[in-house]
Amino acid sequence: MKPPARPNVRSVDVALNDSLLTALTAVVGSDRLLTAADDLIPYSFDGTAAIRVRPGAVVFPLTTDEVAACVRAAAEAGVPIVTRGSGTGLSGGSVAAPEALVLCLARMNRILEVDAENLTMRAQAGAVTMKIDEAAARHGLLYPPDPGSMRISTIGGNVAENSGGLRGLKYGVTRDYVMALEVVLADGRITRFGSACVKDVAGYSLKDLFVGSEGTLGIITEVLIKLVPKPAARRTMLALFDTMESAASAVSAIIAAKIIPCTLEFLDRTTASCVEDYAKVGLPTDCEAVLLMETDGHPAAVADEAERMAAIAAAQGAREVRTAKDDAEATNLASARRNAFSALARRRPTTILEDVTVPRNRLAEMVTFIAETAARHHLQVGTFGHMGDGNLHPTFLTDERDEAEMARVHHALDEIVTKTLEVGGTITGEHGVGLAKKPWLRQQMGDHSYELMREVKRALDPKGLLNPGKIFD
Amino acid sequence: MANVTLKTIDYAILQQCMHCGMCLPTCPTYDETTHERNSPRGRIALMRAIADGDLEVNRTFADEMSYCLGCLACETACPAGVQYGKLFETARADIERSGINDNLSRDFWRTLTLKILFQRPSLLRAAGAGLRVYQRTGLESLVRRLGLTRLLPPSLRRVEPQSPPIAPKFSNALIRPTEVPTGTPRFRVALLTGCVQDLVFSDINRDTADALLANGCVVETPPVQPCCGSLHAHNGETKLAEALARRMIDLFPPAKYDAIISNAGGCGSHLRHYGPLLADDPAYRERAQAWDRKLRDVHEWLVQIGARAPTASPFESPVSLTYHESCHLVHGQKITKQPRQLLRMIPGVTLTELPEASWCCGSAGVYTITQPEQATKLQERKTANIIATKASCVATANPGCHLQVLRGLDAAGAKIEVAHPVSLLARAYRRETK
Ligand SMILES: Cc1cc2nc3c(=O)[nH]c(=O)nc-3n(C[C@H](O)[C@H](O)[C@H](O)COP(=O)(O)OP(=O)(O)OC[C@H]3O[C@@H](n4cnc5c(N)ncnc54)[C@H](O)[C@@H]3O)c2cc1C
Ligand code: SF4
Ligand code: SF4
């Protein structure tokens, strides 16, 4: 099968029609509407490599009503809308479409309420994930989903991508924390789904339809999220391995031993040395794989689990298991790990990362396959990931200007994806389909499910104006 | 180096930015506007568009690069190792070359400051002396009170209330060309007196010499020193910066010293990079590289040679102290631990961490003049943070920051001392004998 080429659309310089611009100015005023080339070029991309499309205009609403008014104006003009948070997405989800209106929610960033009695928080969709976690911490609470980008990603973006994080193994992903959503639909109607109740089975769970919908079904303007009590204790360890396979087996063995640590993160040697280059936190750079392991909860349980995890790692061939000496060191290690993807960009001009996820007993096999594939195509790869979730991020270090090498990258990606599907995995564990994974979606879902999804899209967005061209054409 | 433009710069430097956005929360201008254009990755995207021929070096781009503080917080934050400082200076040089910014009064001031005053130390001192008379004689307040400043061109009007209080004596009157420590000398060092430091804070230069002497260093301080060229490089005058670098190397042959000491964060971050600046000059290349290896920030050097803890306190009673990081020390030179280490060594002092210690105070070279509004916002934010620590003294190691913080505290009516860490150290050493 011929690997599908990644889209790389060059910027087209077209302004939106005047009547739409006038209507938008009436909604937000001229200082929250960008139309000049110099202002738009920086909105041509998100965190995804090698995809750039310049939008027609960018607008910054502050309230749900303003969002609704902008959507109505765009719908009337028949202009596509691309919703954007902080633009850290890794599947091209918030990359504009030519002549599209970018609705940037980064300024709708207010945390509206922390309800410490009911353990919930209400926030505008543009609130930054880290600020949400900090606000929770002030009440002795925790917002667990902590994507690597949490310092800047928005909660709306997290919900739209159903993002995972370093604590996903024990705490789950964004979906597990969404209790209710306020959503502006494609025609400008303002709707609310879900409630503040722990249990709620009234009607279809439509809020779940919007989680992971990548801006294609509606614009999330407000979220009600669940918080959990901050665990009393935690322990963070680093296990060093001489082969990637033994690290993968250690993960499978820990899970098989019925331990659910909060974090089991994997870094191969290339990734670990790039991260260490940047963060200088004492990550070992002379072993083939490092596992960052963390357990949290009741102090007694933490002590017990930490001991058993260390023993299992050793039994699976860990050369050494180190324990972080204090909370500060533990936090530094986790923050360093969050930068893994960006740190890999130190090596080569272009970094193209994958997001494949497999059942956890197939991890060792997958890790080996990735290394072999890269070698076969003479490519440099750095692999890291949320190994406890079976989620791997093989990242090709390449140069988009080298066409021959890019072609080899696409072949390698295609082989990795095919293998993933073979072992019962998924083409994306947390970054979404967007533009980058579109070519493989039908293959994974099968014709019927794929068509059903398109029917849902058509029902909610009959004119196809919301983030067109993302997930499917 | 001099001829590098955004179009000719190694494209990989631009590509290095993989637009992950991890730098956004550390950028003061993005924090202010939430516009990508005002962010590191947005600015890099514009530079890349220029390199690609999709965009011209135009007025908007010039304004954008003027709005950028050059604080380099993004460089520290960037996991991908993007050399924003290099891109920033290249962009500003492109803008200068394009002539977009040219207009008569700006030309006059630019020529006067960058091309005349900051090229000739004696003229700079003469100008400083003139300003000193103006400030001392009360002429200053008279002129201000009579509203005579309104007669000045607008650009100067903004500068005028900014002119810092000139020190009563310059460094050459305070420090002999060679001073030797009591006891056996352990090292020979050169002391760079800087321009603003020399005019406004010559006492900090004296303190630096004292702290070095107290730790066994022979201190050589030539009375007349050229400007290091940092202002020039930062403002797109690369050729001038190169010429100044050569003069510095001539005056301070690196081979002669164990270390060449800078005590001003802003200068230091430029001074460390003479090697790349003169890479195309075969006559100077090697000496420039040797220079870079010898250059030390004073805190870095003192910690490196194991500075001894003073036995006396610089203060009458115990004092709570906080530390504001100069951008070019923390981001430009990655010096964060050493100043704190020195401060903790001083008896009678407790160091409280300043919230957002490494967030720019808005001084940023000539930023207070070119972008007064944003500079003031940052100043107020910094002032509020300092006041919140309840410290009675704030230490900082760059003359620009020093003035900016001083003025901010003044405006807020806060009685908080501002001091260079090395001044506190020197004061403590001096009080040992008393
Ligand atoms: C260094 C780095 C590390 C990362 N680590 C992780 C990780 O550990 N786990 C993980 O899951 N992801 C990770 N990501 C990917 C990315 O950060 C997440 O997908 C994040 O949730 C995107 O948030 P954002 O605000 O930047 O959204 P954007 O990138 O702006 O948008 C993402 C998608 O959501 C849509 N969208 C945004 N806001 C809304 C809204 N309010 N309503 C409707 N649709 C909306 C957009 O249209 C787009 O399709 C990482 C990215 C980077 C650069
Ligand atoms: S400058 Fe660095 S941190 Fe900022 S977007 Fe580019 S690569 Fe990411
Ligand atoms: S130098 Fe400072 S102001 Fe300029 S882009 Fe970097 S962080 Fe922002």
Side-chain angles (χ1 to χ4, degrees):
Chain A
M1 184 185 127
K2 194 180 162 294
R6 286 186 159 227
N8 184 0
V9 187
R10 257 309 169 102
S11 48
V12 244
D13 218 347
V14 258
L16 297 185
N17 72 50
D18 285 347
S19 64
L20 174 56
L21 294 181
T22 315
L24 292 171
T25 312
V27 178
V28 298
S30 55
D31 55 331
R32 284 192 275 126
L33 176 65
L34 305 179
T35 54
D38 321 67
D39 282 319
L40 299 179
I41 288 170
Y43 286 92
S44 310
F45 47 79
D46 62 2
T48 318
I51 311 182
R52 274 188 284 166
V53 184
R54 195 188 297 182
V58 183
V59 67
F60 298 89
L62 295 179
T63 63
T64 303
D65 287 338
E66 285 185 0
V67 171
C70 292
V71 170
R72 276 195 301 271
E76 196 152 304
V79 166
I81 297 168
V82 178
T83 309
R84 182 184 173 98
S86 286
T88 64
L90 297 176
S91 55
S94 59
V95 172
E99 294 181 68
L101 173 67
V102 167
L103 208 60
C104 180
L105 300 200
R107 291 203 200 162
M108 287 179 62
N109 59 2
R110 280 183 308 132
I111 290 173
L112 302 166
E113 186 192 9
V114 180
D115 182 345
E117 282 179 1
N118 286 306
L119 309 189
T120 61
M121 182 188 302
R122 210 157 54 80
Q124 283 188 302
V128 168
T129 317
M130 176 99 125
K131 300 278 179 203
I132 288 197
D133 191 36
E134 285 169 2
R138 283 194 285 279
H139 292 81
L141 298 168
L142 175 76
Y143 174 67
D146 58 342
S149 51
M150 69 183 292
R151 275 174 61 101
I152 186 68
S153 70
T154 64
I155 190 74
N158 293 169
V159 174
E161 296 288 12
N162 190 14
S163 298
L166 272 57
R167 302 189 272 234
L169 176 52
K170 174 171 174 180
Y171 290 102
V173 295
T174 305
R175 177 188 303 282
D176 302 310
Y177 295 86
V178 175
M179 299 186 73
L181 295 175
E182 181 186 72
V183 179
V184 172
L185 299 180
D187 56 6
R189 266 179 299 165
I190 301 171
T191 53
R192 290 182 182 80
F193 305 105
S195 70
C197 302
V198 174
K199 303 167 74 170
D200 183 350
V201 294
Y204 298 146
S205 182
L206 287 184
K207 79 170 159 59
D208 283 299
L209 185 57
F210 288 91
V211 178
S213 64
E214 305 188 25
T216 61
L217 299 181
I219 293 119
I220 300 157
T221 47
E222 201 180 294
V223 299
L224 180 74
I225 51 178
K226 185 165 86 178
L227 305 172
V228 300
K230 219 176 162 60
R234 67 167 170 167
R235 192 171 304 172
T236 304
M237 294 173 292
L238 284 180
L240 285 46
F241 295 88
D242 288 322
T243 66
M244 294 200 285
E245 292 75 16
S246 48
S249 330
V251 169
S252 305
I254 289 171
I255 289 164
K258 304 189 174 55
I259 304 174
I260 305 288
C262 89
T263 297
L264 278 181
E265 291 289 317
F266 166 86
L267 300 126
D268 73 357
R269 185 181 190 148
T270 305
T271 313
S273 45
C274 285
V275 171
E276 181 56 20
D277 244 12
Y278 163 66
K280 309 204 169 46
V281 286
L283 277 182
T285 53
D286 61 342
C287 56
E288 290 307 315
V290 184
L291 272 190
L292 175 69
M293 317 192 287
E294 184 170 306
T295 141
D296 68 357
H298 187 280
V302 166
D304 172 60
E305 281 187 359
E307 217 165 277
R308 285 165 57 208
M309 279 157 63
I312 294 173
Q316 295 295 325
R319 181 209 295 182
E320 191 190 336
V321 179
R322 301 178 188 166
T323 304
K325 62 176 187 307
D326 52 23
D327 224 40
E329 190 180 338
T331 306
N332 285 343
L333 286 170
S335 325
R337 150 62 189 95
R338 287 205 181 88
N339 290 311
F341 168 50
S342 313
L344 277 167
R346 299 173 90 83
R347 288 283 167 90
R348 296 286 308 278
T350 309
T351 32
I352 296 193
L353 108 163
E354 258 304 326
D355 182 31
V356 294
T357 305
V358 296
R360 289 170 292 197
N361 61 352
R362 308 301 288 267
L363 272 170
E365 184 184 343
M366 201 61 211
V367 163
T368 313
F369 183 81
I370 290 167
E372 282 170 6
T373 307
R376 203 164 356 99
H377 292 284
H378 308 287
L379 293 167
Q380 227 181 322
V381 73
T383 300
F384 64 99
H386 314 294
M387 213 172 219
D389 306 340
N391 188 185
L392 294 171
H393 296 313
T395 305
F396 289 96
L397 314 180
T398 175
D399 186 340
E400 61 189 294
R401 290 171 299 175
D402 183 340
E403 279 177 30
E405 187 170 316
M406 286 299 279
R408 297 206 303 279
V409 170
H410 292 308
H411 279 288
L413 287 177
D414 198 55
E415 286 169 26
I416 290 172
V417 168
T418 305
K419 171 79 178 177
T420 303
L421 295 178
E422 249 170 56
V423 304
T426 170
I427 54 174
T428 170
E430 58 178 18
H431 296 159
V433 176
L435 292 169
K437 292 293 151 55
K438 214 160 58 163
W440 293 285
L441 187 62
R442 188 188 276 270
Q443 194 182 338
Q444 171 170 342
M445 298 200 65
D447 290 342
H448 293 317
S449 335
Y450 187 79
E451 283 310 326
L452 178 62
M453 239 169 45
R454 302 183 75 159
E455 282 166 32
V456 171
K457 163 79 175 169
R458 277 195 290 270
L460 279 159
D461 178 20
K463 292 191 197 157
L465 291 180
L466 297 181
N467 218 359
K470 311 294 164 64
I471 306 185
F472 29 55
D473 285 313
Chain B
M1 169 85 196
N3 298 317
V4 173
T5 69
L6 289 173
K7 280 202 158 68
T8 61
I9 199 169
D10 178 3
Y11 196 72
I13 300 182
L14 288 160
Q15 268 182 309
Q16 192 83 41
C17 173
M18 36 99 76
H19 31 87
C20 63
M22 302 300 272
C23 52
L24 299 186
T26 64
C27 174
T29 53
Y30 179 76
D31 186 70
E32 177 68 29
T33 66
T34 334
H35 275 184
E36 284 281 355
R37 200 187 93 188
N38 308 131
S39 82
R41 74 170 170 180
R43 290 176 176 130
I44 295 169
L46 292 179
M47 295 180 204
R48 192 164 163 175
I50 289 170
D52 289 344
D54 285 348
L55 193 73
E56 296 292 307
V57 174
N58 58 13
R59 173 84 267 151
T60 333
F61 182 66
D63 288 347
E64 189 50 54
M65 293 318 296
S66 155
Y67 189 46
C68 171
L69 292 146
C71 67
L72 303 187
C74 48
E75 225 178 67
T76 299
C78 176
V82 169
Q83 304 172 49
Y84 185 81
K86 193 180 247 174
L87 291 172
F88 171 82
E89 291 193 349
T90 309
R92 283 208 172 171
D94 269 20
I95 292 164
E96 271 321 304
R97 225 174 280 119
S98 75
I100 289 168
N101 277 337
D102 295 353
N103 67 54
L104 276 179
S105 78
R106 180 176 181 281
D107 279 358
F108 171 75
W109 285 106
R110 209 177 159 83
T111 308
L112 178 67
T113 51
L114 290 183
K115 298 192 179 155
I116 301 180
L117 288 182
F118 280 92
Q119 283 275 321
R120 291 182 210 154
S122 50
L123 276 185
L124 187 60
R125 275 189 184 145
L131 206 51
R132 177 159 72 206
V133 172
Y134 170 69
Q135 288 171 343
R136 279 301 143 81
T137 52
L139 203 58
E140 184 182 21
S141 58
L142 186 69
V143 168
R144 270 191 205 154
R145 225 171 325 131
L146 293 177
L148 289 184
T149 44
R150 252 179 285 137
L151 299 177
L152 300 172
S155 60
L156 180 57
R157 228 181 293 149
R158 263 187 278 127
V159 182
E160 197 275 342
Q162 302 273 355
S163 55
I166 298 300
K169 282 183 176 157
F170 301 135
S171 305
N172 58 336
L174 297 176
I175 311 171
R176 276 168 285 129
T178 303
E179 298 197 12
V180 290
T182 46
T184 333
R186 295 161 63 206
F187 307 99
R188 172 172 297 270
V189 303
L191 173 57
L192 307 181
T193 48
C195 300
V196 180
Q197 197 82 298
D198 177 46
L199 290 186
V200 186
F201 297 115
S202 49
D203 51 334
I204 293 179
N205 284 333
R206 178 68 254 171
D207 294 337
T208 307
D210 286 346
L212 291 166
L213 289 165
N215 286 288
C217 300
V218 175
V219 181
E220 294 200 0
T221 318
V224 180
Q225 303 185 10
C227 169
C228 70
S230 122
L231 273 179
H232 306 79
H234 220 60
N235 288 287
E237 299 283 1
T238 327
K239 283 261 181 258
L240 296 180
E242 285 172 20
L244 287 165
R246 288 189 199 97
R247 279 162 63 191
M248 284 294 261
I249 294 173
D250 287 342
L251 183 63
F252 298 100
K256 199 174 149 195
Y257 303 103
D258 294 307
I260 302 169
I261 305 292
S262 160
N263 61 8
C267 309
S269 111
H270 175 72
L271 284 161
R272 292 180 110 91
H273 300 112
Y274 278 1
L277 186 65
L278 298 179
D280 295 337
D281 181 343
Y284 278 85
R285 187 172 36 222
E286 267 159 39
R287 271 179 293 160
Q289 285 161 359
W291 165 285
D292 290 359
R293 285 192 298 273
K294 289 286 169 70
L295 199 107
R296 290 288 182 285
D297 166 68
V298 62
H299 311 90
E300 181 187 19
W301 173 249
L302 285 171
V303 168
Q304 183 186 329
I305 64 173
R308 108 186 137 71
T311 53
S313 170
F315 300 102
E316 293 302 332
S317 49
V319 152
S320 156
L321 185 82
T322 193
Y323 174 63
H324 159 62
E325 311 203 63
S326 135
C327 290
H328 281 247
L329 201 54
V330 52
H331 303 306
Q333 303 184 61
K334 315 284 178 233
I335 306 264
T336 56
K337 292 200 188 105
Q338 296 92 328
R340 290 179 168 90
Q341 254 167 290
L342 293 179
L343 290 170
R344 282 210 190 85
M345 229 164 67
I346 302 175
V349 159
T350 17
L351 184 65
T352 315
E353 267 305 309
L354 176 66
E356 304 185 331
S358 60
W359 195 262
C360 182
C361 65
S363 161
V366 292
Y367 201 78
T368 44
I369 300 168
T370 54
Q371 300 281 342
E373 206 178 308
Q374 177 67 14
T376 305
K377 283 185 186 155
L378 290 170
Q379 182 182 47
E380 285 166 356
R381 180 168 176 160
K382 182 60 66 183
T383 307
N385 274 324
I386 294 172
I387 292 173
T389 63
K390 300 200 165 63
S392 52
C393 175
V394 50
T396 193
N398 184 56
C401 305
H402 194 132
L403 278 171
Q404 179 82 343
V405 168
L406 197 68
R407 288 213 181 91
L409 290 169
D410 232 30
K415 302 253 169 305
I416 298 176
E417 181 187 351
V418 184
H420 194 293
V422 167
S423 294
L424 296 175
L425 196 62
R427 218 192 288 169
Y429 286 137
R430 270 180 229 127
R431 287 167 65 107
E432 285 175 339
T433 47
K434 282 185 189 150

